[in-house]
Amino acid sequence: MNIPATDCALANRVLLWIGLLTAVAVLLATTIAVPPASGQTARPGGISGPQTSLAQAVRVAEQQTGGRARKAEMERNRGTYVYEIKTVSKEKSVKVFVDPASGSVVRTVTPGVISSLSHVFDRKDQLKEQAALARLEASPMSLVSAIESAERGGRAVEAALASLYGSTLFEVKVVKDLTTQRVVVDPATGKVAAVVPSRGKRKDDDD
């Protein structure tokens, strides 16, 4: 049985198109990134980030302790990331550990009651914590607000009350475009005062 040349040419073209469409489908399947799960954000490089932001974790810690947050950062503990937030009040200082995935408090640690004056180190800690609390209470901006001001187009991973020549400032480390930046926020204006590449901890940072 002889098949007309025109039918053979049509069949070859159909097979060619099927092959091209299959190749395109395979290529798309291997290159399209899977979107992060609901409630998650994407880190640079397509890696899913924690559901709870640093600012949200600070709010949770302040609600838990009734104090004011002066420092917050993401730490790696035994292979697991956790937020560590230090809060201070007139009665005590507390470290609060918050799970980035659920936003719930993992545990709290009270280094020592501030009112205790039995040791020299307690006295030094008391003075330091009370000085930080006084600066926080006098500041028109909270640590949460500073994080939100600095975290534009990036993701905050650390924030702390700081000082420069006696002036109160907030410093926030923000990951943006695969780089880490140190964003300085002036509470007097509520605006970003400077953005510089992160080079570790400054000497005048509060511990």
Side-chain angles (χ1 to χ4, degrees):
M1 180 179 179
N2 295 326
I3 301 176
T6 55
D7 291 343
C8 288
L10 178 61
N12 289 335
R13 284 197 295 271
V14 171
L15 291 174
L16 179 61
W17 276 107
I18 292 175
L20 289 174
L21 290 175
T22 302
V24 171
V26 171
L27 180 61
L28 289 176
T30 57
T31 56
I32 295 178
V34 178
S38 176
Q40 290 187 330
T41 56
R43 288 180 180 175
I47 303 174
S48 294
Q51 298 180 21
T52 305
S53 68
L54 187 64
Q56 291 170 333
V58 170
R59 288 193 182 96
V60 170
E62 290 182 329
Q63 291 173 358
Q64 176 76 16
T65 63
R68 301 285 295 271
R70 67 178 182 83
K71 186 173 183 179
E73 59 187 330
M74 177 172 279
E75 293 283 351
R76 187 177 178 87
N77 185 12
R78 297 179 182 178
T80 303
Y81 284 101
V82 64
Y83 287 123
E84 179 184 324
I85 299 96
K86 295 180 180 180
T87 67
V88 59
S89 65
K90 292 182 178 179
E91 294 77 23
K92 59 185 177 180
S93 62
V94 184
K95 288 183 181 180
V96 183
F97 297 87
V98 178
D99 178 18
S102 64
S104 59
V105 175
V106 177
R107 63 190 175 97
T108 61
V109 177
T110 304
V113 178
I114 291 180
S115 59
S116 174
L117 303 178
S118 58
H119 296 88
V120 175
F121 291 108
D122 292 333
R123 177 63 177 172
K124 289 181 178 179
D125 289 342
Q126 180 197 25
L127 294 174
K128 185 175 182 178
E129 297 288 355
Q130 290 300 315
L133 179 61
R135 289 163 58 197
L136 286 168
E137 291 179 337
S139 171
M141 173 176 276
S142 65
L143 188 64
V144 169
S145 299
I147 292 172
E148 293 174 341
S149 295
E151 195 177 43
R152 296 184 180 178
R155 187 175 187 88
V157 294
E158 183 178 337
L161 177 70
S163 63
L164 181 64
Y165 303 114
S167 299
T168 297
L169 298 170
F170 290 101
E171 291 190 358
V172 185
K173 285 187 179 180
V174 177
V175 178
K176 183 178 181 181
D177 298 331
L178 301 178
T179 61
T180 302
Q181 300 174 333
R182 183 165 57 87
V183 181
V184 180
V185 181
D186 183 0
T189 62
K191 298 180 179 180
V192 173
V195 179
V196 297
S198 179
R199 296 180 179 177
K201 183 177 178 181
R202 290 172 55 92
K203 292 183 179 180
D204 53 0
D205 282 349
D206 288 310
D207 291 334

